[in-house]
Amino acid sequence: MKVLPLILGAAVLAVTGSAVAGAQTAGDPAKGKTVYARCAACHDLNTGATRLGPSMKGIVGRKAGSVAGFNYSPAMKAKAVTWNAQALDQYLAAPAKFIPGNRMPFAGLPNPQDRADLIAYLKQAAK
Ligand code: HEC
């Protein structure tokens, strides 16, 4: 019987295709926690402590460049953006492109699903 493998193949294609097509993919906070491991050396999550970068405490809904006492780049301070899911997604995809001249030494997260998972985690955990 040759039909079954064909049907299975089509189903796999359909699933992968829809994951790629969905621009606003739903994030999985549990997976986002793993992605956050790449940020944790420089960003405290929720105590407010400064590392190389500012704390992520309350990041979702916070104005860019607004942690008092943190020595931001002029570019970050001048960026009139509030860190909602969309702005975080754009920044984390390509930090130097979204805010030219910002000083975050991080190339970005090219995978949209990684970003969606990470943002879901930040919403939940960076309080
Ligand atoms: C090697 C250190 C480093 C890594 C790794 C890093 N960052 Fe940063 N991040 C910084 C620094 C430094 C700044 C401040 C940049 C500036 O002032 O231009 C910053 C700024 C930010 C800001 C803006 C904060 C604000 O208060 O406006 C966000 C959001 C952010 N980082 C998120 C992340 C996330 C999420 C990750 C992981 C995917 C990450 N960063 C990885 C160092 C880092």
Side-chain angles (χ1 to χ4, degrees):
M1 169 107 159
K2 286 193 180 133
V3 181
L4 189 58
L6 272 180
I7 294 173
L8 284 177
V12 168
L13 268 181
V15 170
T16 2
S18 65
V20 171
Q24 292 294 333
T25 33
D28 176 347
K31 288 189 183 143
K33 186 177 181 177
T34 314
V35 180
Y36 190 74
R38 295 161 71 174
C39 326
C42 296
H43 292 292
D44 159 74
L45 183 64
N46 55 20
T47 71
T50 291
R51 294 185 184 155
L52 188 61
S55 173
M56 289 291 105
K57 184 176 182 178
I59 189 66
V60 182
R62 200 168 89 191
K63 250 186 104 279
S66 66
V67 170
F70 184 80
N71 187 20
Y72 289 103
S73 63
M76 182 64 76
K77 269 195 277 196
K79 183 79 182 175
V81 75
T82 295
W83 292 123
N84 58 20
Q86 198 196 350
L88 283 168
D89 184 64
Q90 285 178 278
Y91 180 53
L92 296 173
K97 212 167 150 194
F98 188 61
I99 309 184
N102 92 96
R103 284 201 286 254
M104 175 156 101
F106 185 74
L109 295 169
N111 183 329
Q113 189 64 54
D114 282 352
R115 297 196 302 272
D117 293 343
L118 174 68
I119 292 163
Y121 176 66
L122 287 174
K123 279 184 182 165
Q124 200 176 80
K127 297 217 159 133

